[in-house]
Amino acid sequence: MPLLLLDLDNTLIDRDAAFRGAVTAFLAGHALPPHDVEWVMALDASGYTPRHEVARAMGSRYGVGQEAVRSFLDRGAADRVVLDGPTRTALGRAVTGGWTLAIVTNGRTAQQEAKIRNTGLDQLTHGWVVSEAVGHKKPAPEIFHAAAAAVGSTLDAAWVIGDSPHADIGGAAAIGAHSVWVSAGRPWPGTLHRPTRSFSDAASAIESVVRTPL
């Protein structure tokens, strides 16, 4: 069975939308300026800023205890993520079509696994790896090899789908895999290794791979 390696945040799920909702609730709950949502979003940088740096900056700006900030960072977005219908349908078609599905995500294990379970992705895929658990982050080849091993597969003829030119598409190039970039309407950064294909959303990206002859 061919292997399809799937990014989680801002690919299968709209992590930034969930995080924005969590920020809005946090600010309201602590009587903080609602317009600061944009400051927190910029600080967060779609989850790429290390969590301890976000916690420290928010604690310093707002004078809120670190326990409250860390609780927000640990659970806020994870409690709000959703899996949209088209992506759910596309994943089902991939499985029916004979593909093995593995989620490959950078981040902390507890938080990322909460997202996977809260959205039902644990029931729609064959397995996953989280960078914290395996000690390697995308685009390192080791995390992709770990994902293949986790679902009893190999990287031969594998495809990678993700939104990050560096972590996902660069990672695919490093392991010699085909790739699909989930662009969300962004232009491709010209200096990086180009993906095999690109689509604006995950459902279309998955469907394009499912239609690829095995």
Side-chain angles (χ1 to χ4, degrees), residues 62-154:
Y62 300 126
V64 176
Q66 285 294 295
E67 183 175 348
V69 174
R70 291 191 180 279
S71 177
F72 148 70
L73 291 174
D74 286 342
R75 299 199 298 268
D79 288 345
R80 289 171 171 79
V81 290
V82 296
L83 181 66
D84 67 48
T87 302
R88 184 181 298 275
T89 298
L91 291 171
R93 287 177 180 163
V95 173
T96 300
W99 290 82
T100 298
L101 309 184
I103 297 172
V104 188
T105 177
N106 289 346
R108 291 172 294 163
T109 304
Q111 185 180 67
Q112 298 304 83
E113 288 190 344
K115 294 174 185 175
I116 290 169
R117 292 191 171 94
N118 289 347
T119 54
L121 283 165
D122 58 327
Q123 301 298 313
L124 295 168
T125 60
H126 297 92
W128 59 83
V129 293
V130 182
S131 63
E132 182 183 64
V134 298
H136 297 282
K137 296 177 66 174
K138 295 183 292 184
E142 290 86 351
I143 192 171
F144 295 100
H145 284 283
V151 295
S153 186
T154 72

Side-chain angles (χ1 to χ4, degrees), residues 171-190:
I175 61 174
H178 296 294
S179 61
V180 188
W181 182 46
V182 178
S183 68
R186 297 167 294 164
W188 177 254

Side-chain angles (χ1 to χ4, degrees), residues 16-28 37 72 75-78 80:
D16 284 353
F19 187 74
R20 180 178 289 273
V23 173
T24 300
F26 175 85
L27 295 174
V37 65
F72 148 70
R75 299 199 298 268
R80 289 171 171 79

Side-chain angles (χ1 to χ4, degrees), residues 156-173:
D156 294 339
W159 283 75
V160 176
I161 294 178
D163 73 300
S164 171
H166 172 67
D168 299 312
I169 308 308

